Amino acid sequence: MQTVSSDHESNTTSIGVIKLRVGVPKKDGFAQFVKVVWNSRENKYNNVSGYCMDIFNAVVKNLTFKVSLQIEPYVNESKHSAGTYDSLVRQVPVKYDVVVGDISIVADRSQFVDFTLPYTESGVRMLVPIQHGRHQTMWIFVKPFSWQLWLSILIINMLIGSVILIMERNVHTLPDDRQEERSLFKKQLSAMTILWFPISQAVLPERQVVAKNCSRFVLMVWLLLAFVLMQSYTANLTSILTLDKMQPSFFSVNDLRKGDHYVGYQAGSFVYDLLVKQFKFSPLKLKAYSNISSYNNALKLGSQRGGVTAIFDEVPYLNVFLRRFRSNYIIAGPTYRTDGFGFAFPLNSNLVSHFSRAILNVTQNHELMNKIEKKYFGKSIEELQQQSSEMSSISPSLTFHSFAGLFLITGISTLLALFVSETLFFWKKTISMVKKYFLHSPSSTKTHIHPSDLESTQKTDQADQPSFN
């Protein structure tokens, strides 16, 4: 086993050339990751390329010591793959010093080798055909809004109705010249009708329905919110009724098990053990495939005609598949986490730490990573994953989050109007009580008459009396 010695005093790695026997898998499909080319004239493999090899070469360039590589594909005498990835990993350190390729970091393999840090994210997901068509039911009219949004509308409606009821409870204090208007308010506003009052105003608004300016302000804010909600509801309902929605034909592993369907996986992948041990699929219901074309053909046929209903594989492979057949298939269901691709070294090898640090330098160089990814995939892996997640997470229902800002503005405005209304009412009531107190006080009811005024009043009364002469 090759080792690297370190000079702790100078914190530098001793200069020397480390010779590494590099084992790489030979794949029949997904050549974007690892491609081994046999040269029949020279009777040797003269070219090993792919995304994983470019990452490995970039990592080697970032090492603090020199490395000499001897690349040896894992093949048999007939120049075909000598076995599965698990068997390849077990060739370390007997045959190889490091294994490079699309080697997933899983617990079972870690018993035989030490892995570096992953250089790509991964995870296992389900690939199924897209189901076209509109599935309309008698309850389709509630589909434009999610249940959280319907509940939020009901709550904000009750809040506005209650606030208006509180503010309009004092309409009996209106002056006498507005008696007709006062009786109208008293008739329309009550504890029984206030819950549907805001909805009635949104559908058939009336101008003289409330007396106070604060109540009119609350209704104006509510009508703005109701207008946006109604327009959004109409647009989304139209979309649901007219557009052809693309949905997965199956949504979960349970659906596949209950229907007794066949499922596929990539030949030689650890996904087989995942399907049998964790997902509890019968081995008789599993079929292995090796390339993109076989995936497509199997899914086209379906379980009833000798194919499969779904394909389970790691996300990087599925993203490559969707780049070619995006219009017919979709990624569905949850992501079953794995730790991604890594390089496999012998147990307790101190080269793991050096290569892991170099991997961090490479993966954090976004310009270099995007260049390598676009070289083999046409787009960066992040762009492929984002497009796949957008297709698989299409939801026709608008959520509360879409209108959270409007609900917040409406709530704050309503509570502010209630505060202003109650404050003004309190001060008006206080001033009215003070005025009544002074008007009815004893000092204001006493009348002081001057004697001269009394004498002139008596003379006036005598003059007004009729004469009988």
Side-chain angles (χ1 to χ4, degrees), residues 182-230:
R182 181 173 64 187
S183 61
L184 176 64
F185 302 145
K186 186 176 181 180
K187 180 180 179 181
Q188 289 185 344
L189 299 176
S190 66
M192 297 299 295
T193 61
I194 200 64
L195 296 180
W196 57 264
F197 169 72
I199 295 180
S200 65
Q201 290 305 301
V203 178
L204 297 172
E206 299 180 26
R207 184 176 182 182
Q208 298 295 334
V209 72
V210 289
K212 295 185 176 181
N213 291 329
C214 288
S215 300
R216 295 191 180 100
F217 172 76
V218 171
L219 275 183
M220 180 188 69
V221 176
W222 158 249
L223 290 176
L224 174 63
L225 173 62
F227 175 78
V228 175
L229 289 173
M230 286 189 293

Side-chain angles (χ1 to χ4, degrees), residues 11 34 77 137 264 308 328 395 439:
N11 292 326
V34 178
E77 295 179 356
T137 65
V308 295
N328 298 322
S395 175
L439 289 175

Side-chain angles (χ1 to χ4, degrees), residues 169-176 179 182 212 425 428-429:
R169 73 186 187 279
N170 303 313
V171 293
H172 63 274
T173 60
L174 290 172
D176 294 337
Q179 287 293 328
R182 181 173 64 187
K212 295 185 176 181
F425 172 73
K428 288 181 179 179
K429 187 175 181 180

